[in-house]
Each structure stands twice: as C-alpha cells, then as structure tokens.
C-alpha cells in the first residue's frame, strides 16, 4: 500500500499525457495528493518551494529535457526526492542516461498503466522510508533528517574541547521561527510539518557541509559553526539564513512566509561549556524576539557593539567621498644630507558627523573588505598629487616635492590597476618621477611572479615604489633582489628600538647596508627623538620621517612650514632639531 501522506509532483506540458497519468493515479485514489506543473520552469519552482516525496517527470518538455531538470536540481542541491522519468520513446540508451543523471526509474508512456506506475511509486517510497530509518538510527530528527538535540549537544561538547586545545573559536546559533504556532494551529500539523521540513532543507542548503544544523524540537533549530575566524563571518551567515528562509514555502498548496529570530553565542567569549553557550544563544534569541523578530543578535554586548560599529563604518564609508568627509594630512620627509623637506607622505583623515574621527588603521581594512578602497585610493591619489604640485608651483621649495602615497594590496591586486593608474596620471600634472607608491611587504606572499610584473609596469610609468613597514613581513631578504623597487622604509618598531635595544639597532644597521648594496634608498619612519636621529644619520640613512620633525599636518600648514624654511635651513639634524608639534 502506498501511504496516504505521499506528495506527488507531476511535471508534464502535454495535456493529454497529463490526463493519462492522472487517470492511472485516480484508479489508486492518489489523484488528491498530486500537484501539477505544466512547464519545466513551473516544476522547478514548485520543487524549490515545496516538499515532494516523488516527482513524475516527462522527459520531453517544450523548452528543456528531463535531464536538464535533473541537472538543475542536482546543482541546487535539491534533488532530495526520487524522480521517475516518463518518456514517449522506448530508448535504452536514453534510459541509462536518465539514471546516470539521478532519476530512480524510467517509464515508457505507452506502457504506463496503474500497475507499473504504482510499483514505481512504491519503490520510490520504500527507498525514502529506508533512508529515514537509517537516519533515525544515527540520532537524526525523523521529520527533517537534521541532527537531533542529543547529537547536537554531543557535537557541541566535542567542538568545545577541540576549540580549547587549538585556542580556536566557535559559534552557536539558536533559531526560532517567528509565529510558527499560529501556522501550526490554524493550518494543521501536517502543514506545520511540511513547513518544518522546508525550513530544515533551506537551513541545510545555506550552510557549509561541515557546519552542523540540528532541530532541537518544535520550531527550534540550532547551528554549530566550528573554527570561526571572525565575528563578521558569523554575522554574514546569520544574514544568509534570514535571506534563505524569506522566499515563500509551498506546503500542502499553501504559500507560507516565515522569518527567524536568531541568537548567537561564541566560544570562549560567552562561555566555555556547553550549557552556558546554549544559554547565551537562547538569551540572545529572546532579545531578538523582544526587539521585533526577523533578525539576529550576538549575546555579548561588547561583541555586538563591535559588529555594529563595523557596520556603521561600512555604511558611512559609502557616502564619505561625496560628502567631502575625507581630508589628507601630509607628513614631511627630511633629506639627511641637505636637511630639507624633500617629500611628504599623504595620510588620509576621516571625520564623520556621527562617528567622529575614525583612524585609518580602523577604516582602511573595512574599506578593503567592502570594496570602497578603490574609489578612496583614486581620490587620495588625485588629491595628493594636485596638492603637491601646488607647493612646487608656489616655489616654496627649489625642487618639486615628492609625494608618497599609500596603496592597499587590495587596490594593487584589483583588475586593471595599471590602466586605472594611467588614467589617474592623466588627471594630474605632477610628473610621475615625483610620485612614490608605498606598498607593504605582504604583497609578495601569494604570487611573487605576478607582483614582479605588476611592480615593473608601475615603474615603467615613471612612478617609484617604496616597501612600507619593511622588516615586519616574511622572508624579507630572500625576495628583495628580484623585486623592482626603489625605496625601503624601515618599520617604526625598529626605529623605536634605537637607544633601547641592541637587536633593533642591529636590524636598522643591516637594513640600511642591505638597501645601499642593492642600490635602494632608505627612509626611517617614526623618528621621535634626537638619539634616533643621530643614530640614523650616523649610519647613513637617506631620509627621515617622524614626529620629531613634524606630525602629519594639513596642506596649508605644510605651505607655512615650507615658507618659513624657504630661506634658512631647515632642520639642524645633527643638533637639536626644530620640532613642529601639532
Ligand atoms: P603607515 O603607512 O605606516 O603610516 C605611518 C603611520 O605612523 C601614520 O599613522 C603616521 O601618522 C604615524 N606616524 C608618523 N610619524 C610617527 C612617529 O614619529 N611616531 C609614531 N608613533 N607614529 C608616527 P596614520 O596616519 O594613523 O596611518 C595609519 C596607517 O593607515 C598607515 O600606516 C597606512 O598603512 C594607512 N593609511 C593612511 N592613509 C592611507 C591611504 O590614503 N591609503 C591607504 N591605503 N592606507 C592609508
Ligand atoms: Ca606609509
Ligand atoms: Ca609604515
């Protein structure tokens, strides 16, 4: 006997054929449980939103074949029910092909009668029952096939132990379906069950294979995320879950809309044992319900603050350029021999009316992640070059001032960077030989050959390249020789060691010697006092930059500084220097 709860979907675009199949089903009193799709697209849409136990699929549809449908279902990971192909042709090779693509059975239209059809459906249903038995043996929820509470708790305990050993993070997401009880009470349990199954499969499909999705009971689900590297990615997953549940669910011919409330706890921040993590996620989930549902929330306030600050920054970045919220400060670089300002480094500043001053160390990584960095970088480039050429034109300095511009790796690696750079150069009148791009060492980590080509192409435009924060990256010395660069910038941390730590001093000396041997210029940054200055000048560092000479200052303050130093020298580097503290 075929169980009464079997849901059949018939996909067939030919009315006569459809009628023939329906007639056979009627003989077995199965015509009440059948949903009909009159095109392939309609069929796919119904499968995406519904929950069928078996699909009867006509092979030849007007704009696709049954194999196209099987492939689409497999690609979308929703080929979870048996499919019985029905074809007008009795073709052995076609039959094999359909089976290869995931069909369970192949019936020939002319031979379809009540008996054959029933046997095929029964076979499909048996298969399904067997699957269900198997999974219930292994502690899975019999309705949805997801892990049950017991399995979830066991896995969580194991994951916590692993995270303790590896000092890694993990997250628990508690998901409760908003107003589920109303649906269940008004439309009946069988519709409620269909809905739970549909929710379960959407949850499962929006997760990575290694994440555990469980049904804890009723309309409560939980997800265990192992090995989480940052809060951002958890927030993204929660948002993805909300989005995945949003399209309507087709359950017993009802189009149902649901939303979840998601509470999140993380190990070790919210607790270091199973119970406290569950408790924390549960609390956070109730907080979401209290605040209007259909959303997610982290348990810990401080974490929540961090995430929302990031989101606020990302949102504000969107409009920051058009709203003129950015400015650039310039920090002088002093030639150790002539003791004159020979260049400035452009350092971006951001003031937003809600967020106040945000440091580049905080917002640049967010701009990199969100893609805003490209526009930002282009803006800095044009602005900084145009400012620098003004100083030259005003002739406060005999030599044109060089401008050093920081370039993010994300920008550098983006497609068409060289073309964009050419385009930007055409917008400014500063000759390229007075432009330096500062790039950090980490660019060399993944594809050194590609980077060598890219840097050569930049140099071919006449622009110089400095390696910023030099000495902090990996394998610094081994790749230096093959790298097309012009300047090494000694990292501040080594400069800070001068006069304090012999190791740091040795590193500074080595970098200077190494750079000179390779024909490169050396800049020391973060110079804060006379001792450091003396040391660096003594070991023939070419250029100095740091608070000791000047903090990064606004463009017109640089103008004033250049004016005041146009006639008299400048920085008496060997004696106590003039400081300009802003
Ligand atoms: P960076 O390129 O290493 O810049 C040097 C940082 O050290 C600047 O911080 C500067 O203000 C600070 N500094 C300068 N002299 C001294 C000193 O004597 N002592 C100390 N303790 N610090 C000093 P800032 O301006 O906050 O910039 C931080 C970072 O943000 C920069 O590090 C750079 O990586 C990034 N950045 C700044 N502007 C831009 C930009 O326009 N584009 C990109 N992609 N990154 C930028
Ligand atoms: Ca820099
Ligand atoms: Ca630096």
């Amino acid at each position: 006997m075929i169980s009464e709860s079997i849901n059949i979907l018939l996909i067939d675009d030919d009315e006569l054929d459809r009628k023939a199949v329906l007639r056979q089903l009627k003989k077995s009193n199965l015509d009440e449980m059948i949903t009909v799709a009159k095109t392939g697209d309609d069929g796919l849409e119904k499968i995406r939103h519904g929950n069928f136990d078996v699909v009867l699929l006509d092979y030849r549809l007007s704009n696709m074949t049954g194999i196209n449908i099987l492939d689409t279902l497999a690609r979308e990971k929703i080929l979870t029910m048996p499919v019985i192909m029905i074809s007008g042709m009795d073709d052995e090779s076609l039959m094999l092909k359909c089976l290869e693509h995931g069909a369970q059975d192949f019936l020939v239209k002319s031979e379809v009668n009540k008996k054959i059809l029933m046997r095929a459906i029964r076979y499909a249903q048996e298969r399904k029952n067997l699957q269900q038995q198997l999974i219930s043996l292994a502690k899975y929820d019999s309705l949805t096939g997801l892990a049950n509470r017991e399995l979830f708790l066991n896995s969580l305990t194991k994951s916590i132990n692993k995270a303790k050993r590896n000092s890694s993070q993990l997250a628990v997401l508690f998901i409760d379906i908003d107003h589920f009880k109303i649906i269940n009470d008004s439309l009946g349990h069988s519709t409620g069950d269909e809905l739970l199954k549909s929710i379960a499969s959407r949850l499962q499909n929006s997760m990575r294979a290694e994440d555990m999705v469980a049904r804890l009971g009723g309309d409560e689900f939980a997800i265990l995320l192992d090995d989480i590297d940052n809060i951002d990615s958890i927030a993204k997953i929660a948002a993805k879950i909300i989005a995945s549940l949003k399209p309507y669910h087709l359950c017993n011919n009802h189009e149902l809309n649901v939303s979840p409330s998601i509470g999140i706890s993380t190990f070790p921040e919210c607790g270091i044992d199973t119970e406290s993590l569950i408790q924390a996620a549960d609390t956070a989930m109730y907080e979401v319900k209290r605040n209007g549902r259909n959303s997610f929330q982290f348990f810990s306030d401080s974490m929540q603050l961090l995430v929302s600050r990031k989101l606020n920054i990302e949102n504000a970045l969107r409009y920051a350029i058009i709203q003129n919220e950015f400015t650039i400060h310039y920090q002088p670089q002093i030639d150790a021999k002539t003791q004159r300002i020979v260049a400035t480094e452009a350092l971006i500043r951001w003031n937003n009316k809600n967020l106040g001053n945000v440091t580049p160390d905080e917002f640049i990584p967010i701009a990199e992640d969100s893609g805003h960095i490209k526009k930002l970088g282009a803006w800095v480039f044009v602005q900084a070059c145009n400012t620098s050429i003004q100083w030259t034109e005003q002739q406060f300095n005999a030599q044109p001032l060089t401008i050093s511009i920081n370039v993010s790796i994300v920008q550098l690696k983006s497609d068409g960077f060289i073309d964009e750079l050419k385009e930007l150069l055409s917008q400014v009148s500063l000759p390229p030989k007075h432009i330096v791009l500062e790039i950090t060492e980490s660019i060399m980590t993944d594809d050194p050959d590609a980077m060598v080509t890219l840097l050569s192409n930049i140099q071919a435009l006449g622009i110089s390249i400095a390696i910023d924060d030099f000495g902090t990256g990996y394998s610094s010395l081994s790749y230096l020789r093959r790298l097309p660069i012009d300047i090494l910038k000694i990292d501040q941390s080594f400069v800070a060691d001068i006069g304090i730590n012999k190791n740091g001093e040795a590193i500074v000396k080595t970098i200077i010697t190494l750079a000179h041997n390779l024909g490169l210029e050396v800049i020391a940054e973060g110079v804060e006092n006379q001792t450091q200055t003396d040391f660096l000048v003594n070991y023939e560092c070419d250029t100095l930059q740091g608070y000791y000479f000047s903090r990064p200052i606004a463009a017109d303050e640089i103008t004033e500084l250049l004016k005041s130093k146009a006639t008299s020298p400048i920085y008496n580097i060997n004696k106590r220097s003039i400081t300009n503290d802003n």
Side-chain angles (χ1 to χ4, degrees):
M1 248 326 274
I2 288 177
S3 107
E4 278 181 11
S5 69
I6 191 159
N7 287 317
I8 303 168
L9 175 67
L10 171 63
I11 308 176
D12 198 327
D13 59 354
D14 184 293
E15 201 184 340
L16 287 177
D17 286 349
R18 264 198 318 267
K19 278 192 174 149
V21 174
L22 286 172
R23 222 173 10 250
Q24 302 304 330
L25 291 171
K26 202 179 174 103
K27 288 185 194 159
S28 310
N29 294 327
L30 281 173
D31 55 327
E32 296 291 323
M33 286 122 171
I34 195 150
T35 306
V36 171
K38 296 180 184 173
T39 66
D41 286 320
D42 184 26
L44 282 170
E45 201 54 19
K46 288 202 155 75
I47 293 172
R48 286 188 191 106
H49 292 279
N51 232 302
F52 297 100
D53 300 307
V54 60
V55 174
L56 303 177
L57 176 58
D58 181 22
Y59 178 75
R60 191 154 301 287
L61 297 163
S62 56
N63 60 346
M64 59 181 89
T65 68
I67 289 183
N68 296 144
I69 294 206
L70 286 170
D71 289 348
T72 305
L73 294 176
R75 199 169 51 244
E76 295 181 16
K77 296 198 207 123
I78 48 178
L79 185 52
T80 48
M81 79 302 287
V83 174
I84 300 170
M85 195 70 79
I86 304 181
S87 163
M89 287 170 289
D90 185 3
D91 176 340
E92 179 88 19
S93 70
L94 180 64
M95 180 182 120
L96 286 173
K97 213 166 149 205
C98 288
L99 298 184
E100 262 169 31
H101 285 253
Q104 255 76 47
D105 211 338
F106 186 96
L107 306 180
V108 181
K109 276 183 187 167
S110 57
E111 295 170 357
V112 167
N113 57 31
K114 177 186 157 189
K115 207 169 141 198
I116 287 181
L117 199 56
M118 285 312 107
R119 193 191 293 150
I121 293 176
R122 195 178 306 126
Y123 165 76
Q125 206 193 11
E126 276 310 307
R127 204 188 104 103
K128 201 176 121 132
N129 285 343
L130 213 64
Q131 259 174 2
Q132 296 237 340
Q133 279 169 18
L134 281 176
I135 53 186
S136 65
L137 281 175
K139 299 189 189 140
Y140 289 87
D141 171 44
S142 58
L143 180 70
T144 59
L146 297 179
N148 62 18
R149 177 182 280 272
E150 197 189 342
L151 182 56
F152 183 78
L153 294 180
N154 281 342
S155 307
L156 179 55
T157 308
K158 276 187 203 148
S159 292
I160 290 173
N161 290 336
K162 200 176 89 195
K164 279 180 186 162
R165 280 198 305 276
N166 306 344
S167 321
S168 55
Q169 283 188 295
L170 62 86
V172 172
L173 278 67
F174 249 51
I175 304 167
D176 193 271
I177 306 303
D178 301 331
H179 308 299
F180 178 78
K181 200 175 171 324
I182 298 178
I183 296 176
N184 214 31
D185 290 350
S186 60
L187 300 174
H189 288 283
S190 105
T191 304
D193 282 354
E194 288 307 310
L195 180 57
L196 290 173
K197 282 199 253 177
S198 172
I199 290 168
S201 78
R202 301 246 184 115
L203 289 177
Q204 189 93 71
N205 290 340
S206 50
M207 290 297 120
R208 304 172 301 181
E210 63 264 36
D211 300 322
M212 169 169 274
V213 184
R215 179 174 172 228
L216 301 182
D219 60 340
E220 257 191 356
F221 297 86
I223 292 173
L224 170 58
L225 301 174
D226 259 329
D227 251 339
I228 279 301
D229 45 13
N230 60 56
I231 304 166
D232 255 359
S233 56
I234 308 174
K236 277 194 189 126
I237 290 170
K240 195 172 161 196
I241 291 172
I242 294 176
S244 80
L245 294 182
K246 200 169 182 200
Y248 71 86
H249 301 251
L250 185 62
C251 303
N252 290 347
N253 287 324
H254 298 285
E255 290 180 9
L256 303 174
N257 288 301
V258 294
S259 66
S261 293
I262 306 175
I264 305 167
S265 64
T266 54
F267 171 91
E269 292 83 358
C270 309
I272 53 166
D273 58 61
T274 313
E275 217 164 83
S276 49
L277 283 179
I278 297 263
Q279 187 58 50
D282 201 38
T283 309
M285 194 265 292
Y286 275 99
E287 192 60 20
V288 178
K289 295 250 182 227
R290 224 171 47 85
N291 292 332
R293 302 180 154 87
N294 191 19
S295 181
F296 65 89
Q297 189 148 349
F298 286 89
F299 170 68
S300 132
D301 282 352
S302 55
M303 287 172 75
Q304 177 62 24
L305 282 178
L306 220 78
V307 174
S308 41
R309 178 161 172 90
K310 269 193 147 183
L311 290 176
N312 289 341
I313 289 177
E314 197 182 316
N315 281 331
L317 275 175
R318 246 171 259 230
Y319 309 103
I321 292 182
I322 16 172
Q323 291 177 350
N324 275 321
E325 295 174 2
F326 291 118
T327 46
I328 298 177
H329 278 185
Y330 299 86
Q331 186 174 34
Q333 296 178 343
I334 319 299
D335 182 316
K337 290 212 178 69
T338 65
Q339 307 186 12
R340 285 179 177 272
I341 300 174
V342 285
T344 65
E345 177 178 0
L347 293 158
I348 194 163
R349 296 292 176 260
W350 182 26
N351 182 279
N352 173 272
K353 65 179 188 308
N354 298 319
L355 299 164
N357 287 325
V358 187
T359 65
D361 281 328
E362 188 176 12
F363 75 77
I364 294 283
I366 299 175
E368 289 177 336
D369 279 352
S370 58
H372 296 301
I373 193 72
K374 279 191 79 167
K375 271 204 182 132
L376 194 67
W379 179 84
V380 170
F381 187 92
V382 172
Q383 187 78 12
C385 289
N386 285 340
T387 306
S388 202
I389 192 82
Q390 272 173 34
W391 292 321
T392 313
E393 282 161 357
Q394 290 165 337
Q395 292 192 318
F396 298 126
N397 232 45
Q399 281 288 314
L401 282 194
T402 290
I403 185 83
S404 246
I405 300 167
N406 292 285
V407 179
S408 141
I409 301 178
V410 175
Q411 240 177 306
L412 206 64
K413 284 187 178 165
S414 64
D415 290 341
F417 178 75
I418 293 291
D419 289 336
E420 193 200 356
L421 198 57
K422 281 184 197 157
E423 159 63 24
L424 292 175
L425 273 179
S426 74
Q427 293 177 38
V428 302
S429 49
L430 185 68
K433 68 171 178 185
H434 298 298
I435 302 174
V436 174
L437 297 188
E438 294 196 3
I439 293 164
T440 57
E441 247 180 299
S442 49
I443 46 156
M444 293 311 289
T445 46
D446 47 37
D447 189 352
D449 292 332
M451 262 312 139
V452 168
T453 313
L454 185 69
L455 297 186
S456 308
N457 289 338
I458 296 175
Q459 278 183 333
L461 298 174
I463 294 175
S464 304
I465 293 163
I467 298 290
D468 206 353
D469 307 336
F470 184 75
T472 55
Y474 318 86
S475 66
S476 326
L477 306 179
S478 59
Y479 69 76
L480 259 193
R481 204 172 294 275
R482 31 185 316 237
L483 219 51
I485 54 172
D486 306 276
I487 302 164
L488 285 190
K489 218 170 165 179
I490 307 174
D491 188 65
Q492 314 196 352
S493 60
F494 303 123
V495 175
D497 276 348
I498 296 172
I500 296 172
N501 176 330
K502 291 281 169 227
N503 279 340
E505 289 182 357
I507 292 172
V508 172
K509 278 190 262 179
T510 310
I511 295 177
I512 296 174
T513 313
L514 177 84
H516 286 161
N517 285 341
L518 293 170
L520 306 174
E521 196 187 313
V522 194
I523 302 185
E525 71 174 338
V527 181
E528 291 184 346
N529 57 48
Q530 185 69 44
T531 313
Q532 294 163 351
T533 307
D534 291 343
F535 182 96
L536 290 161
V537 171
N538 199 27
Y539 287 99
E540 297 186 327
C541 180
D542 304 293
T543 313
L544 310 176
Q545 177 186 350
Y547 293 171
Y548 191 50
F549 306 103
S550 169
R551 288 186 173 256
I553 49 180
D556 47 0
E557 292 177 279
I558 292 278
T559 308
E560 291 307 308
L561 195 63
L562 290 172
K563 253 193 231 171
S564 74
K565 295 184 186 305
T567 46
S568 65
I570 312 305
Y571 294 100
N572 196 345
I573 274 173
N574 294 315
K575 299 199 196 108
R576 241 204 95 72
S577 298
I578 307 155
T579 21
N580 186 315
D581 266 346
N582 284 51

